[in-house]
């Protein structure tokens, strides 16, 4: 079972969600709810594994969680549409 994160973690995630909702084009309450669910899911599930994979200290936990929450819906959309060509294009863009 995944450990339930502490208050600082959830404050970072909540701050990222508020920022995301305030800076996003308004679509609907359903779209806002989906954005919040995606942000919480990505931050809660992937923060610790990403820290471990990157060999980063636990002091990076809240900033990484906020970044994952902020980019969650875009990341999920990219993963759903991923193809070998998309990966290659992304790699080329990062190398520029």
């Amino acid at each position: 079972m995944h450990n339930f994160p502490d208050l600082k973690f959830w404050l970072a995630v909540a701050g990222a969600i508020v920022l995301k909702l305030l800076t996003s084009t308004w679509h609907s309450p359903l779209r806002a709810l989906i954005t919040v669910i995606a942000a919480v899911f990505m931050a809660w599930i992937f923060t610790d594994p990403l820290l471990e994979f990157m060999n980063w200290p636990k002091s990076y936990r809240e900033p990484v969680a906020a970044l994952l929450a902020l980019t969650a819906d875009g990341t999920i959309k990219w993963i759903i549409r991923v193809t070998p060509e998309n990966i290659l294009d992304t790699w080329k863009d990062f190398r520029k």
Side-chain angles (χ1 to χ4, degrees):
M1 184 77 184
H2 203 65
N3 289 337
F4 196 75
D6 61 4
L7 182 60
K8 281 176 41 178
F9 175 93
W10 290 115
L11 288 174
V13 171
I17 290 170
V18 168
L19 181 65
K20 174 71 175 173
L21 291 174
L22 289 175
T23 59
S24 295
T25 305
W26 177 254
H27 294 286
S28 69
L30 179 60
R31 174 77 172 117
L33 178 63
I34 290 169
T35 297
V36 170
I37 291 169
V40 169
F41 173 78
M42 291 290 284
W44 186 26
I45 301 300
F46 291 108
T47 297
D48 290 336
L50 182 59
L51 290 176
E52 188 174 317
F53 177 76
M54 299 299 290
N55 199 25
W56 288 343
K58 290 287 184 188
S59 61
Y60 288 12
R61 190 167 194 237
E62 288 77 22
V64 168
L67 188 60
L68 286 170
L70 201 57
T71 61
D73 54 343
T75 303
I76 291 171
K77 287 176 192 174
W78 185 83
I79 290 169
I80 289 170
R81 294 187 310 251
V82 73
T83 65
E85 294 80 21
N86 295 27
I87 293 172
L88 188 57
D89 290 342
T90 301
W91 178 252
K92 288 177 184 175
D93 288 342
F94 278 131
R95 292 190 60 190
K96 288 183 181 179

